[in-house]
Amino acid sequence: IFGLYRRELRGHEPERYIYPLPKTLGTASIVLKSGCLFRGNMPKKGGGGNISKKPVPVQSHDDDGSNIVFGDDTSKKRNKKSSDMAAPKQQDDASIPPGQEAPKKPDTRQLIGGASWTGKLPVNLLSEHCQKQKWGKPDYTMNKTGNGFLSSVFLKSTDPKTKETVTLPPFVLPPTYKDLATQATAVEARHFAATYALFRVCSMRNIHMMLPPNYRDLWKNDFEASKKEDVKAGRAWMYAADPFAAKQTQDEAQAQKMRRKAEEEKSRAQETRQSISIQLGSASTGGGPNNTTVKGWAQAPKLEMGKRNRTQVEGLVRRNAVWNPHGIEFPKAQYQTIIHELTNLGFRQSHVEESISCCKDREEVLEWLLIHVPEDDLPPWSLPEGYTAGISMASGNLKRDAMIRRLAEAGYSIDLCAKTLDDCHGDEGHAAEALQKSVLATLEHESASLEIDEHGSVQTWTEEHATLSAIFGQRFRSLSSSMLEIHLQLDHLTTCELRVSRSSSYPRAPPIVAVICPELPAYIRLSIIRQLLEYARNNLLGEPMIFNIVDWLENEIPRIVENPGRLRDISVAITGLPQQESIPPRKSAYVRPRPASIDWKHGSPRSVDLYNIWRSRQDTPKQQKMLAVRHALPAWKQKEAIIESVNQNQVTIISGETGSGKSTQAVQFILDDLIQQQLGSAANLICTQPRRISALGLADRVSDERCTVVGDEVGYAIRGESKNRPGRTKITFVTTGVLLRRLQTSGGRTEDVVAALADVSHVVIDEVHERSLDTDFLLVLLRDVLVKRRDLKVVLMSATLDATVFEEYFKHTSSVGKVNIEGRTFPVEDFYLDDIVRFTSFAPRNQYQGHEMNDMPEDNPDIAKSIQGLGMKLNYDLIASCVKHIDQQLGSQEGGILIFLPGVVEINRTLDALRGLPNMHPLALHASLLPNEQRQVFPPAPRGKRKVIAATNVAETSITIEDIVAVIDCGKVKETSFDPQNNMVKLEEVWASRAACKQRRGRAGRVRAGKCYKLYTRNAEAKMAERPEPEIRRVPLEQLCLSVKAMGVVDVPGFLQSALTPPENLAVGSAMELLRRIGALEDDELTALGRHLSMIPADLRCGKLMVYGATFGCFEACLTIAAILTVKSPFVSPQNKRDESKAARLSFAPNEGDLICDLRAYDGWIQMKSRSNYRDMRAWCEQNFLSSQTLQDISSNRSQYLSSLQDAGFLPPHYNPNSTPTTLNSHNTNFALIRALVAGAFNPQIALISFPSRKFAPSVSGTIELDPEARTIKFYNQDNGRVFVHPSSTLFDVQSYVGNSISLSYFNKMAT
């Protein structure tokens, strides 16, 4: 028993112990080896005595050679306990009849293997296996149950190098087989456990053949069945030959699983931490991409600012943030609910109530609290992990640091303490007094007006000092002759001291006090000081007051802790920053002055003068010649019908074929009629055009027909340019956007829009069939205005007008008249693709598959093969062959050729193909050209040359080029489509509508019979849509919604539902959400940024970038980038030189992104332009793969944006980058700032860069980190998850990003 006791204490570690018994138990010793006790002599002192290794045999029915036997080296009588233990045996012997020998009980081998078993036993087999595997000796456990004995085996292994021992869990049968493990004796239980342990590590071997029969059957049947169940359940690792390696693998897998689980819990906790379980009122509901947490964004890194930057940002927010700018009252029904929610989150009730008083909703309340509540009083969840709020400072001046620390103990801002101490030249006493006055500034002039008796003040202080020492005893501590400290007795605060210093005018003014209590947040300590000073000023001045101050504090501190008061009252002392009350912004940045109303009085002096001038002009030869030309137009025949309809109806719809003269004649008919009625002074006609070139061309043409100059009686107004004279100009051609901006800046209400048109007598909307976004918006406004102004006339004109649609739209509010003008003057002959191939004998170089077989002419297989080989793409060689054929057909006849193409790229390629033809004068015509460049298409070609104009659809309507006799129509147009579900814009080349192709065809019949060559088959024409889909249903609506909102419309979706073709609700909702996300809207009201953006006729992101540029001092750079985004990149990428082109682009700004490269290239072009000739500049552009024409377009766009910003009042009227103060352009070369502003302007179009795991490589100087391969870098955005950079971008194959960037901003996102 003693040996077992010692063995338990020593923990089974050594294999063999000798335990000497105490002297009172005799000289015997107990040897423990392999779980057995042996009798032996005590070893002699100084030497090892002999120990018997042979155990004394003891008869027992369960002896297996490992029993515990007690004995000594004498024949002494057994002790009482041993006698008692032997009593049962003696009784058994007594039951044996005399003369008979007692039966011999079976030994362990017979018990386990049977009488004839001569093999090894399971315990021995397991020990041998462990020895071979160099594992430790197996350990057995034994438990006695009601049914028998249960045993299990522990295996262990020691690492020879680390000496670390690994012990496996005991091998235990599954619960369903537990009954098998219960044995009648302990010996059987031990051998059963050894057999199962062998099976667990050797089940793949035939060891069972070496086992006794009973255990062999267990191995083959029950154990195998248990293994199959475990393998099926995924626990095959339990039967590994090396259980220690299997355990290590399982531990690693379990650890990885636990780590993953911990990360998931941490991620969930972080999400909970961010949302803090508050369902904010602005939170979106429902499914969709926006509610799916994208992997990349879930792993977005945190931004931690340095103390200086954070202080500056917090100061800016506290000083300039506008809370509840529109004065929205907080819903009373939610008041108590939000107080309850936020106090449960850890905010003080007084703070929540203060924030509710100045905020509009729950989200803003939470923002206000996070910004204004001091760090040491914020709930722990709102602070970064491991962050500790408090004083943190270090410098070389320990004395100064100690003084600042003492001053800050009262609760003042550490920065404010440092600044105040420096202002007081290091005098701690004066600094403390100045800090106290910042808490209650009125004390400064209050105390200054009192007479100060310095001697009396010191004497009063000294006497009070002694009295307080006697009163408070051990609670009192004198720190100096002018400073003392008293311990305050408060129930809930263990450490709270009042530190009092004599002020310069004590007791005429309160002393300098500080409540030193680390348990209280700083602002509560300051609130206590503030309220104490107010109490002392009102009740205690002129007498010793410290005792009363202590008494007041001990009574009032619990109340102040519960309700500290307004944070704003002590914000200066907490932060050191002045606090400003929120001032609501102005409702409108610019309101156009309202014009005077029209005077419809007949025969006014001005009207008489206009009539006389007009009358005298009619008799001039020049006017007579122009009248003869006008009489020849079909529109002249409908002059009286047009005038009558306009006079009798508020809305007149004029439809007429191309060339009928409706665009030039209708406005003149109306004006001439008013002049003849002597109402000329009341006439003011505004005629809208969809494009600038149309407005310019019509102004020139109409002024010529009236024998006046542009800008006098007839003028124009386009973005960035205008020629008109208020009061004198009677017909003004404008782009639709110009008229919309006039209405937009009127003030917003319907009455304001009516007033903005008070001096307008007629609004003429030309090309209304195009159904542009601006046109549909204008129609909605005009329909409302017509109800208020019955004298206003609206005229709608188009060549392919569906009059019924517009009549239905207006007839419910106004009377509607219709006039139809007959078609063009000369017939036009049509030729289709098969005809063109036949005329030109054209055979394509490359064979494509595109046209359907039913498009092919059956009578000529060669032509069919050629058409099939052309494919669906434009073939510029075919266009050149067609031009050559037309020129041959015309011979010496004059006349130009007009080619309709989808876009600018196709125009440039066509012009390149035409340059190889002799006697051609090729010209481009598209909306990106400067006005002077656009006008070059109107004059005749030089002598001996034929004018060939490659144009987009701007040449379809409005403008008329007089000498065109042939038209080549490719039948294609580039059209924007928008998918509001995925927020994706697609610019696609699609078939034009039949109405558009009819307009193009009509251009050939202006001067004589013409011809139209259609580069498509008759079957393709039959499949074309009748009319194009209105733009309002296929483009993003952000700009439109912003314009509507800028006019003061409250219900934007409801307003747009009243459009001629209402947009999709999803598209409107997406547009409004984007306006909120970019900061243009807040609470469905325009922000200051939104008002600026509504005045800038640009994409919202470009407008935002220009506003940011002017704000942050890099206006010129941002203006250039906005122009580049509006046009396109100036770099060209030839098919066979793409790598060289990308390398040239990268050379301007490596790895800084596409826009910075383009900006640097444009700046380089400007410098070359100023110091080099045209030839050198052209060579420089070719060398750097730059397009001179695109650079010119960018320059033109810059000028237009500049004019718009000046018109909107955002820039000085005479802005000049060289003479204007440098504040606007002081940071033009700070590309890090420019990249940040681009990201801010493009937000939320931001993609997160996800880098792969870092890799390292050895080098001479040590291990260095390798840049990741470009293909392993992934990008994620919020809407679509993973996205990809386009191969044409300079960032497509970069491996590292400037400034260790972790995200990129993008302008376009398109599905491919």
Side-chain angles (χ1 to χ4, degrees):
I1 292 171
F2 184 75
L4 283 174
Y5 172 72
R6 294 290 299 272
R7 180 172 177 250
E8 288 294 319
L9 290 180
R10 299 184 65 89
H12 304 228
E13 291 181 4
E15 291 185 6
R16 186 168 185 269
Y17 293 109
I18 297 176
Y19 297 104
L21 290 175
K23 292 181 180 180
T24 55
L25 299 180
T27 59
S29 65
I30 301 171
V31 179
L32 171 65
K33 182 177 181 183
S34 300
C36 301
L37 285 175
F38 301 93
R39 184 188 312 163
N41 294 325
M42 285 285 293
K44 296 180 180 179
K45 185 175 182 180
N50 294 330
I51 302 175
S52 176
K53 297 185 179 180
K54 185 175 180 180
V56 177
V58 178
Q59 297 299 324
S60 175
H61 69 281
D62 60 349
D63 182 21
D64 65 347
S66 60
N67 287 344
I68 301 173
V69 181
F70 294 92
D72 56 24
D73 57 347
T74 66
S75 58
K76 289 182 180 181
K77 193 176 181 178
R78 293 174 186 263
N79 56 29
K80 185 177 183 294
K81 187 171 183 179
S82 298
S83 300
D84 293 341
M85 293 174 61
K89 183 178 183 303
Q90 294 172 0
Q91 294 174 4
D92 292 342
D93 292 344
S95 63
I96 301 174
Q100 292 186 10
E101 186 177 352
K104 188 177 181 180
K105 293 188 177 181
D107 60 11
T108 302
R109 183 176 301 279
Q110 294 173 348
L111 181 66
I112 301 303
S116 61
W117 181 253
T118 60
K120 296 181 180 179
L121 299 180
V123 168
N124 305 112
L125 290 172
L126 179 62
S127 297
E128 290 177 3
H129 182 77
C130 291
Q131 187 175 3
K132 289 179 182 178
Q133 299 298 324
K134 297 183 179 180
W135 299 342
K137 195 168 184 179
D139 284 337
Y140 293 87
T141 65
M142 185 67 65
N143 294 315
K144 187 172 183 179
T145 67
N147 300 325
F149 293 87
L150 281 174
S151 181
S152 59
V153 179
F154 287 94
L155 296 185
K156 56 187 176 183
S157 175
T158 303
D159 190 317
K161 295 182 179 180
T162 63
K163 304 302 180 182
E164 180 183 1
T165 299
V166 177
T167 302
L168 298 178
F171 293 129
V172 180
L173 275 169
T176 53
Y177 296 87
K178 189 174 182 180
D179 293 342
L180 292 174
T182 305
Q183 301 294 314
T185 65
V187 175
E188 291 172 300
R190 187 176 291 110
H191 284 279
F192 181 92
T195 305
Y196 182 66
L198 271 174
F199 180 79
R200 287 283 295 270
V201 298
C202 299
S203 62
M204 67 296 297
R205 296 169 55 187
N206 292 326
I207 291 181
H208 64 280
M209 302 299 295
M210 303 168 62
L211 292 173
N214 292 339
Y215 297 94
R216 190 185 308 152
D217 294 339
L218 282 172
W219 184 292
K220 293 170 60 178
N221 299 317
D222 296 308
F223 290 175
E224 283 289 348
S226 173
K227 178 181 178 180
K228 289 179 181 179
E229 293 178 4
D230 287 332
V231 171
K232 187 176 181 181
R235 295 189 292 270
W237 56 268
M238 293 173 56
Y239 299 89
D242 187 350
F244 297 97
K247 181 179 185 299
Q248 183 179 1
T249 303
Q250 280 299 112
D251 289 346
E252 291 175 356
Q254 188 68 17
Q256 186 176 2
K257 182 178 178 181
M258 294 299 293
R259 283 195 300 270
R260 194 182 306 115
K261 183 178 179 181
E263 289 175 359
E264 291 175 356
E265 291 178 354
K266 184 177 180 181
S267 177
R268 284 195 298 267
Q270 186 174 2
E271 292 174 8
T272 305
R273 178 191 187 94
Q274 292 171 353
S275 62
I276 209 56
S277 303
I278 298 179
Q279 300 299 325
L280 296 176
S282 61
S284 58
T285 58
N290 292 334
N291 294 335
T292 302
T293 303
V294 180
K295 174 185 174 184
W297 288 98
Q299 299 174 351
K302 294 183 294 186
L303 174 65
E304 295 187 3
M305 293 183 287
K307 185 176 185 298
R308 179 180 176 185
N309 289 340
R310 184 165 56 85
T311 303
Q312 289 179 345
V313 171
E314 288 177 352
L316 287 171
V317 172
R318 286 194 176 101
R319 282 198 305 268
N320 302 315
V322 179
W323 304 96
N324 195 9
H326 307 292
I328 299 173
E329 292 187 9
F330 202 93
K332 297 295 182 183
Q334 301 179 19
Y335 193 92
Q336 292 300 328
T337 303
I338 292 189
I339 290 178
H340 177 71
E341 287 179 354
L342 294 181
T343 51
N344 285 343
L345 291 175
F347 293 104
R348 295 183 184 272
Q349 182 172 338
S350 60
H351 296 166
V352 179
E353 291 173 348
E354 181 180 353
S355 64
I356 288 176
S357 67
C358 55
C359 298
K360 67 180 183 301
D361 57 28
R362 186 183 328 196
E363 184 176 0
E364 193 169 277
V365 166
L366 183 59
E367 291 175 354
W368 191 97
L369 289 169
L370 293 174
I371 290 172
H372 288 87
V373 174
E375 289 178 353
D376 56 357
D377 201 31
L378 280 171
W381 59 261
S382 64
L383 297 172
E385 294 180 11
Y387 181 83
T388 303
I391 299 174
S392 176
M393 54 180 296
S395 70
N397 192 336
L398 298 180
K399 180 179 178 181
R400 177 177 179 272
D401 291 349
M403 287 190 289
I404 294 174
R405 191 174 292 107
R406 284 194 296 272
L407 292 171
E409 284 178 342
Y412 300 107
S413 162
I414 192 76
D415 296 325
L416 182 63
C417 293
K419 182 179 182 301
T420 306
L421 184 64
D422 293 339
D423 293 342
C424 296
H425 308 289
D427 189 319
E428 185 177 354
H430 288 168
E433 191 166 1
L435 287 169
Q436 182 165 290
K437 290 177 180 179
S438 70
V439 176
L440 194 62
T442 55
L443 290 178
E444 186 172 359
H445 75 266
E446 186 96 10
S447 60
S449 62
L450 300 174
E451 295 182 3
I452 301 174
D453 182 1
E454 182 67 24
H455 176 72
S457 175
V458 174
Q459 184 178 1
T460 302
W461 174 265
T462 304
E463 293 175 355
E464 188 174 12
H465 200 123
T467 304
L468 293 171
S469 177
I471 293 173
F472 292 107
Q474 293 183 353
R475 294 170 56 192
F476 177 89
R477 189 158 66 101
S478 178
L479 302 178
S480 68
S481 60
S482 60
M483 184 182 298
L484 57 89
E485 196 170 86
I486 299 173
H487 176 73
L488 300 178
Q489 293 181 338
L490 298 166
D491 294 337
H492 302 292
L493 298 173
T494 56
T495 304
C496 188
E497 311 290 339
L498 172 66
R499 184 180 297 164
V500 185
S501 302
R502 183 177 63 84
S503 62
S504 58
S505 54
Y506 182 81
R508 300 286 185 182
I512 303 168
V513 294
V515 177
I516 313 301
C517 183
E519 299 175 51
L520 292 179
Y523 91 98
I524 292 184
R525 284 175 269 156
L526 290 174
S527 182
I528 293 171
I529 293 173
R530 184 178 184 277
Q531 296 187 43
L532 170 62
L533 295 175
E534 288 182 342
Y535 170 76
R537 184 189 62 179
N538 296 329
N539 301 284
L540 304 177
L541 294 184
E543 298 177 358
M545 62 184 78
I546 298 177
F547 178 82
N548 293 326
I549 286 176
V550 173
D551 181 65
W552 186 90
L553 286 173
E554 290 180 341
N555 286 290
E556 296 297 326
I557 282 180
R559 177 189 61 80
I560 298 174
V561 170
E562 186 67 26
N563 186 8
R566 284 168 33 103
L567 285 170
R568 292 175 180 267
D569 294 338
I570 53 173
S571 61
V572 176
I574 298 172
T575 64
L577 300 168
Q579 182 72 35
Q580 292 183 346
E581 294 292 333
S582 297
I583 301 174
R586 294 178 300 167
K587 287 291 183 181
S588 178
Y590 172 72
V591 177
R592 185 183 298 273
R594 296 187 177 184
S597 300
I598 296 176
D599 181 9
W600 289 101
K601 182 180 179 181
H602 289 266
S604 66
R606 177 60 182 157
S607 297
V608 173
D609 291 342
L610 288 173
Y611 174 76
N612 293 333
I613 294 172
W614 175 81
R615 185 68 248 172
S616 62
R617 197 167 57 215
Q618 301 305 306
D619 298 330
T620 61
K622 186 177 180 180
Q623 185 69 71
Q624 288 295 320
K625 182 179 179 181
M626 283 295 178
L627 284 173
V629 175
R630 293 176 62 191
H631 287 167
L633 294 172
W636 190 268
K637 300 175 182 178
Q638 299 293 330
K639 176 181 177 181
E640 298 302 326
I642 293 173
I643 293 174
E644 182 180 359
S645 178
V646 170
N647 289 335
Q648 293 181 359
N649 301 286
Q650 271 195 290
V651 178
T652 298
I653 302 172
I654 301 175
S655 57
E657 295 291 342
T658 299
S660 62
K662 60 185 182 306
S663 299
T664 58
Q665 303 306 307
V667 290
Q668 296 190 68
F669 296 159
I670 297 169
L671 176 59
D672 290 344
D673 178 65
L674 291 173
I675 292 175
Q676 292 179 53
Q677 296 182 49
Q678 296 193 1
L679 288 172
S681 61
N684 184 10
L685 286 76
I686 293 181
C687 182
T688 69
Q689 296 293 326
R691 302 172 190 86
R692 292 181 301 142
I693 187 173
S694 303
L696 295 172
L698 286 170
D700 288 338
R701 178 63 187 175
V702 173
S703 60
D704 287 344
E705 290 183 357
R706 300 187 71 80
C707 298
T708 61
V709 295
V710 177
D712 188 15
E713 188 179 36
V714 180
Y716 65 85
I718 61 175
R719 187 177 65 186
E721 184 180 353
S722 64
K723 279 189 178 182
N724 58 353
R725 297 171 61 183
R728 186 172 182 86
T729 301
K730 298 300 177 183
I731 301 174
T732 306
F733 292 94
V734 302
T735 52
T736 312
V738 168
L739 178 56
L740 281 175
R741 278 191 294 280
R742 174 175 176 172
L743 303 180
Q744 185 178 319
T745 56
S746 61
R749 300 171 303 167
T750 304
E751 293 78 7
D752 297 325
V753 177
V754 172
L757 296 173
D759 63 338
V760 177
S761 60
H762 298 73
V763 176
V764 181
I765 304 177
D766 202 1
E767 309 305 337
V768 74
H769 74 283
E770 292 189 8
R771 301 292 305 281
S772 69
L773 199 65
D774 286 348
T775 299
D776 278 10
F777 181 24
L778 183 59
L779 291 177
V780 177
L781 295 176
L782 290 177
R783 191 172 68 162
D784 293 338
V785 171
L786 288 173
V787 177
K788 302 284 185 179
R789 269 201 60 191
R790 290 299 177 182
D791 62 328
L792 180 65
K793 306 292 185 179
V794 173
V795 179
L796 308 179
M797 296 194 302
S798 177
T800 59
L801 182 65
D802 186 359
T804 306
V805 175
F806 293 91
E807 182 180 9
E808 289 293 326
Y809 186 67
F810 281 100
K811 73 177 185 180
H812 299 292
T813 58
S814 309
S815 57
V816 181
K818 293 187 293 184
V819 177
N820 183 52
I821 302 175
E822 60 187 40
R824 59 191 174 275
T825 308
F826 300 100
V828 175
E829 186 178 1
D830 294 326
F831 299 101
Y832 289 87
L833 183 59
D834 55 335
D835 301 318
I836 297 171
V837 172
R838 185 182 299 109
F839 294 155
T840 60
S841 301
F842 180 79
R845 300 176 187 174
N846 300 315
Q847 298 294 318
Y848 300 97
Q849 297 296 321
H851 290 276
E852 299 178 6
M853 293 307 297
N854 55 3
D855 289 348
M856 306 299 110
E858 299 178 357
D859 57 340
N860 195 326
D862 293 335
I863 294 177
K865 184 178 179 181
S866 296
I867 294 176
Q868 185 72 15
L870 284 172
M872 302 302 293
K873 294 185 178 181
L874 284 177
N875 190 299
Y876 301 100
D877 293 333
L878 175 62
I879 294 175
S881 298
C882 187
V883 170
K884 183 178 179 181
H885 169 75
I886 296 170
D887 181 58
Q888 292 173 350
Q889 291 292 313
L890 292 174
S892 60
Q893 300 180 41
E894 294 184 357
I897 303 171
L898 178 60
I899 307 172
F900 284 100
L901 297 161
V904 178
V905 174
E906 291 78 11
I907 288 175
N908 293 333
R909 291 179 180 175
T910 299
L911 295 179
D912 291 339
L914 294 177
R915 289 191 176 96
L917 300 179
N919 304 324
M920 296 297 166
H921 180 54
L923 295 169
L925 178 60
H926 51 82
S928 300
L929 295 176
L930 294 171
N932 290 335
E933 294 172 329
Q934 291 176 338
R935 291 192 181 102
Q936 293 177 5
V937 301
F938 296 108
R943 184 179 295 275
K945 291 183 177 290
R946 189 175 305 284
K947 181 166 61 177
V948 182
I949 302 171
T952 59
N953 57 352
V954 300
E956 283 180 14
T957 56
S958 292
I959 68 164
T960 299
I961 305 171
E962 294 292 343
D963 55 352
I964 297 298
V965 296
V967 166
I968 300 175
D969 180 16
C970 72
K972 298 288 186 68
V973 65
K974 284 189 176 177
E975 204 170 70
T976 301
S977 63
F978 176 63
D979 180 6
Q981 183 71 35
N982 297 317
N983 196 26
M984 297 284 284
V985 178
K986 295 181 182 179
L987 181 63
E988 299 175 309
E989 185 177 293
V990 298
W991 288 109
S993 65
R994 287 201 295 272
C997 292
K998 187 177 181 181
Q999 288 283 338
R1000 297 177 179 185
R1001 176 178 180 271
R1003 299 287 113 180
R1006 289 292 297 156
V1007 293
R1008 64 172 182 266
K1011 295 180 180 180
C1012 179
Y1013 295 84
K1014 301 179 179 181
L1015 301 180
Y1016 46 87
T1017 62
R1018 292 171 176 82
N1019 186 53
E1021 184 180 50
K1023 293 180 180 179
M1024 291 178 179
E1026 182 64 32
R1027 290 182 179 81
E1029 187 177 19
E1031 197 175 27
I1032 198 172
R1033 295 186 64 88
R1034 55 181 175 83
V1035 297
L1037 302 177
E1038 297 90 51
Q1039 190 75 54
L1040 176 62
C1041 291
L1042 183 63
S1043 299
V1044 174
K1045 199 68 188 177
M1047 300 185 65
V1049 176
V1050 177
D1051 183 11
V1052 175
F1055 177 87
L1056 294 178
Q1057 284 301 309
S1058 64
L1060 188 60
T1061 303
E1064 294 183 16
N1065 291 332
L1066 181 60
V1068 178
S1070 299
M1072 296 295 288
E1073 179 61 27
L1074 181 61
L1075 291 177
R1076 296 185 190 98
R1077 294 176 72 180
I1078 68 174
L1081 284 183
E1082 183 178 345
D1083 305 321
D1084 287 334
E1085 294 288 343
L1086 278 182
T1087 61
L1089 175 64
R1091 286 192 301 276
H1092 287 309
L1093 295 180
S1094 67
M1095 297 297 300
I1096 301 174
D1099 180 274
L1100 294 181
R1101 295 160 296 177
C1102 296
K1104 189 176 180 182
L1105 180 61
M1106 290 186 281
V1107 171
Y1108 280 176
T1111 305
F1112 288 90
C1114 47
F1115 174 71
E1116 285 290 317
C1118 291
L1119 179 65
T1120 300
I1121 292 176
I1124 291 170
L1125 291 170
T1126 305
V1127 182
K1128 65 175 182 178
S1129 171
F1131 288 93
V1132 294
S1133 181
Q1135 186 76 21
N1136 57 342
K1137 293 185 178 180
R1138 286 185 174 177
D1139 293 338
E1140 294 92 330
S1141 172
K1142 182 175 285 189
R1145 192 178 187 185
L1146 270 172
S1147 66
F1148 285 95
N1151 295 352
E1152 294 213 30
D1154 302 334
L1155 294 179
I1156 303 298
C1157 291
D1158 296 349
L1159 169 65
R1160 297 287 295 272
Y1162 178 84
D1163 291 342
W1165 177 72
I1166 290 294
Q1167 294 176 6
M1168 285 291 298
K1169 191 176 180 181
S1170 62
R1171 67 171 185 258
S1172 304
N1173 56 36
Y1174 176 77
R1175 183 177 180 180
D1176 292 342
M1177 188 172 64
R1178 185 184 181 95
W1180 181 82
C1181 288
E1182 291 177 354
Q1183 178 184 352
N1184 290 285
F1185 293 88
L1186 288 165
S1187 167
S1188 300
Q1189 183 58 57
T1190 305
L1191 289 166
Q1192 290 285 0
D1193 295 342
I1194 293 170
S1195 179
S1196 171
N1197 241 276
R1198 284 181 91 259
S1199 301
Q1200 294 170 18
Y1201 280 150
L1202 200 59
S1203 299
S1204 300
L1205 292 169
Q1206 289 172 325
D1207 292 343
F1210 196 74
L1211 290 179
H1214 305 291
Y1215 167 79
N1216 187 322
N1218 299 320
S1219 61
T1220 305
T1222 56
T1223 53
L1224 283 173
N1225 295 295
S1226 56
H1227 301 298
N1228 267 336
T1229 57
N1230 187 339
F1231 295 111
L1233 173 61
I1234 294 172
R1235 289 199 308 273
L1237 297 184
V1238 168
F1242 289 3
N1243 184 47
Q1245 293 177 194
I1246 304 292
L1248 181 71
I1249 305 173
S1250 177
F1251 294 96
S1253 300
R1254 295 188 297 175
K1255 294 182 180 180
F1256 299 87
S1259 68
V1260 177
S1261 58
T1263 303
I1264 59 173
E1265 184 177 353
L1266 300 176
D1267 288 334
E1269 297 182 21
R1271 61 184 177 84
T1272 64
I1273 302 174
K1274 299 177 181 179
F1275 305 90
Y1276 299 90
N1277 73 351
Q1278 288 177 305
D1279 294 330
N1280 309 95
R1282 188 177 178 187
V1283 293
F1284 299 86
V1285 176
H1286 195 275
S1288 64
S1289 171
T1290 59
L1291 298 179
F1292 176 70
D1293 50 6
V1294 299
Q1295 296 175 269
S1296 60
Y1297 298 88
V1298 64
N1300 295 322
S1301 301
I1302 56 174
S1303 58
L1304 61 84
S1305 53
Y1306 57 90
F1307 189 72
N1308 285 328
K1309 176 182 66 175
M1310 305 190 80
T1312 57

